[in-house]
Amino acid sequence: MIIYTVESGDTLNSISRRFGIPPMRIAADNGLRNASQLVVGQSLLIMADSIRYIIREGQTLYSISQEYGVPLEALLEANPNLNPLNIRVGDTVMIPVGMNTERRDAIVNGYAYPTITESSLNCVLPFLTFLSSFSYTLTPQGDLIAPADDDLIYRSVRSAVMPLMVVTNLYDGSFDTDALSAVLNDAALREKLINGIIEELQNKGYYGVNMDMEYIAPTDREIYNEFLRQLAERVRGLGYILTVALAPKISADQQGLLYEAHDYAAQGEIADYVILMTYEWGYTYAHE
C-alpha cells in the first residue's frame, strides 16, 4: 500500500494507468463518490503489494527507491529485465511496496458529526484508533454546549474505537476569537471550563479530550499554552488523554490569526497527540 498525492492534471484513469490498479478499485478503496472531482493535494490509498509504475521525466531508479522507501537492491531484484543505466520516460517499473519491513503501528483519528450515517461510519470504524465527536461548543461564560453524540460514542466503543470529546470555540456559527479570549483571561472561567470538561469525560465515557481551538488571538498564545498545561495535568491524573488540533503551519513564525497562537513546540510537549489540520490546504471551503 502507498499513499499517492494527486497532482495537477491527474484523473482517476491516469492514476489507474500509472499504477496498474483498476480505477473502480481506487475509487472504492478511497470512498470516492465522484471520481471525476479529484483535488490537487488530495491523498489516495493505492492498495497493492506491488505497483506497476511508469517512469516520468527526470526520474531514476534511485529517486523512485527514495520516494517509496524501497531499497534500491529490492527495486533492481524486482525488475531484472530493466537496465538501470538506461531507463527512459515511459518505461515500466514494478515497485514491491508490500515488503516485510518493520513498520510502526498507525494511530488514526477521525472526526465525525453525530449526524453521520451509519453506513458511512461503518466504512471507517475498522481503520480508526480514535473517533472524535464534533463538537462541544465553548460559550463566553465558560459553559459547554454538548452535542447529541451518545449513539456515536456507543457505536465507536462497540467497534473497539476510543471516543474523544472535541471542544471548540465554534460559537454562533463561526470560530469566536473574543469568546475564547474572555475565558482564557479569566482564572475562574478557565477553572470552570476544565471542571466542565472533566465532568463530561466522566459522565459520557470518553477516552480523552481533543481541544480544537481556532482563530486564537495572537496575544493569547502563552495563556492558551498555560491553559493546556493545567488541563493536561488534571485529565491525565484521572487517566484520560489530551490531544490538540493545530493549524498547518509552514514556519514557526507564520503570520495570520489561524496560525500565530498555535505553538508547535509547546503544545507538542504538552499534549499526548497533535492533529495537524492539513485539510485546510485542500478542503473545499478552506481559507486562503
Side-chain angles (χ1 to χ4, degrees):
M1 180 190 78
I2 68 164
I3 299 176
Y4 174 73
T5 302
V6 174
E7 300 176 349
S8 178
D10 276 343
T11 65
L12 199 61
N13 285 334
S14 68
I15 296 171
S16 168
R17 290 193 298 272
R18 178 172 174 179
F19 294 112
I21 306 293
M24 294 306 295
R25 179 179 172 185
I26 297 175
D29 288 340
N30 290 275
L32 301 179
R33 294 184 178 180
N34 188 343
S36 65
Q37 294 184 349
L38 298 180
V39 178
V40 174
Q42 178 179 359
S43 295
L44 296 177
L45 290 177
I46 307 298
M47 305 291 286
D49 291 332
S50 62
I51 294 173
R52 180 171 58 83
Y53 187 87
I54 307 301
I55 297 291
R56 295 179 295 169
E57 185 70 37
Q59 289 186 311
T60 64
L61 288 184
Y62 178 75
S63 70
I64 294 172
S65 75
Q66 293 296 298
E67 182 177 353
Y68 290 100
V70 176
L72 182 58
E73 295 78 7
L75 204 56
L76 292 170
E77 183 178 343
N79 296 272
N81 297 322
L82 193 65
N83 182 352
L85 301 178
N86 188 33
I87 63 170
R88 296 168 295 179
V89 173
D91 281 348
T92 297
V93 176
M94 297 304 298
I95 304 176
V97 294
M99 298 174 59
N100 293 322
T101 55
E102 184 177 349
R103 301 180 182 181
R104 293 182 297 173
D105 291 334
I107 297 175
V108 183
N109 174 71
Y111 285 99
Y113 287 101
T115 54
I116 188 173
T117 64
E118 185 171 1
S119 60
S120 295
L121 186 60
N122 289 342
C123 285
V124 298
L125 276 175
F127 306 100
L128 296 183
T129 310
F130 304 120
L131 180 65
S132 295
S133 177
F134 199 87
S135 74
Y136 279 78
T137 294
L138 173 66
T139 74
Q141 294 75 38
D143 295 310
L144 291 169
I145 302 173
D149 63 350
D150 289 343
D151 185 60
L152 196 59
I153 295 170
Y154 167 76
R155 289 156 64 187
S156 63
V157 172
R158 185 182 62 185
S159 300
V161 175
M162 292 171 279
L164 295 182
M165 170 189 184
V166 179
V167 180
T168 73
N169 57 324
L170 191 59
Y171 188 65
D172 282 345
S174 61
F175 286 97
D176 194 322
T177 302
D178 295 333
L180 176 59
S181 186
V183 174
L184 291 176
N185 288 283
D186 186 310
L189 291 182
R190 290 200 307 272
E191 182 68 14
K192 180 180 181 181
L193 174 56
I194 291 173
N195 289 335
I197 289 172
I198 290 173
E199 182 178 355
E200 293 299 307
L201 289 173
Q202 294 175 328
N203 288 343
K204 299 183 73 172
Y206 293 107
Y207 186 78
V209 58
N210 170 244
M211 298 301 296
D212 181 13
M213 297 300 176
E214 303 185 30
Y215 297 96
I216 306 168
T219 53
D220 289 337
R221 175 182 171 118
E222 292 307 321
I223 193 65
Y224 183 53
N225 287 342
E226 183 55 32
F227 165 78
L228 291 176
R229 291 187 184 96
Q230 295 171 354
L231 178 61
E233 182 178 0
R234 292 280 299 279
V235 299
R236 285 202 192 101
L238 296 170
Y240 300 103
I241 67 167
L242 170 66
T243 70
V244 293
L246 297 175
K249 300 170 69 165
I250 57 175
S251 66
D253 58 354
Q254 184 170 345
Q255 300 298 298
L257 186 59
L258 180 63
Y259 308 103
E260 291 180 49
H262 280 182
D263 186 336
Y264 274 29
Q267 294 182 35
E269 292 180 353
I270 295 167
D272 295 286
Y273 301 101
V274 300
I275 299 170
L276 299 181
M277 299 183 287
T278 53
Y279 50 79
E280 290 285 354
W281 289 334
Y283 177 48
T284 302
Y285 302 105
H287 299 275
E288 296 183 0

